[in-house]
């Protein structure tokens, strides 16, 4: 769904939606865990996909992972998703 990737939520709204502090969202962006869109003026705009990712970060933090561990988990989850999609395409061709 393309609309899920479009940034529409300001950082304060994203923080409220995820029960996180604004400064934590800035840290997660600096650490590369989330990459919200930016307006021409530099305002962060979070998409529905970003909000889901922030929920996942929150869950991993609650499970005891540090930010480096969370980065590794998120990377592996993305790789797994890509591999599953590739496998599905190969299966469709058979």
């Amino acid at each position: 769904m393309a609309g899920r990737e479009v940034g529409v939520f300001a950082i304060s709204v994203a923080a409220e939606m995820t029960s996180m502090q604004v400064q934590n969202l800035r840290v997660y962006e600096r650490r590369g865990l989330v990459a919200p869109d930016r307006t021409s003026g530099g305002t962060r705009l979070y998409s529905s996909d970003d909000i889901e990712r922030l929920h996942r970060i929150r869950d991993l933090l609650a499970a005891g992972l540090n930010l480096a561990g969370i980065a590794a988990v998120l990377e592996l989850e993305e790789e797994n998703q890509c591999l599953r999609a590739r496998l599905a395409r190969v299966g469709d061709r058979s």
Side-chain angles (χ1 to χ4, degrees):
M1 182 183 300
R4 297 186 54 78
E5 299 170 1
V6 176
V8 294
F9 304 110
I11 193 168
S12 60
V13 175
E16 186 175 329
M17 291 173 73
T18 58
S19 301
M20 295 177 159
Q21 299 294 318
V22 168
Q23 59 267 31
N24 291 343
L25 300 188
R26 291 185 181 116
V27 169
Y28 304 152
E29 182 181 7
R30 278 196 306 272
R31 296 292 293 268
L33 299 177
V34 66
D37 291 337
R38 294 277 187 149
T39 65
S40 58
T43 301
R44 293 170 179 86
L45 292 177
Y46 291 82
S47 67
S48 294
D49 286 345
D50 292 327
I51 299 300
E52 281 185 24
R53 189 171 180 93
L54 289 168
H55 281 290
R56 182 69 177 133
I57 291 167
R58 186 191 61 209
D59 293 344
L60 292 168
L61 284 167
L65 276 72
N66 62 22
L67 294 183
I70 290 170
V73 167
L74 293 175
E75 185 177 331
L76 288 170
E77 287 177 346
E78 288 176 11
E79 184 178 342
N80 189 25
Q81 185 178 12
C82 290
L83 291 171
R84 286 178 186 264
R86 184 185 301 171
L87 185 59
R89 285 191 304 274
V90 169
D92 289 345
R93 285 189 235 153
S94 300

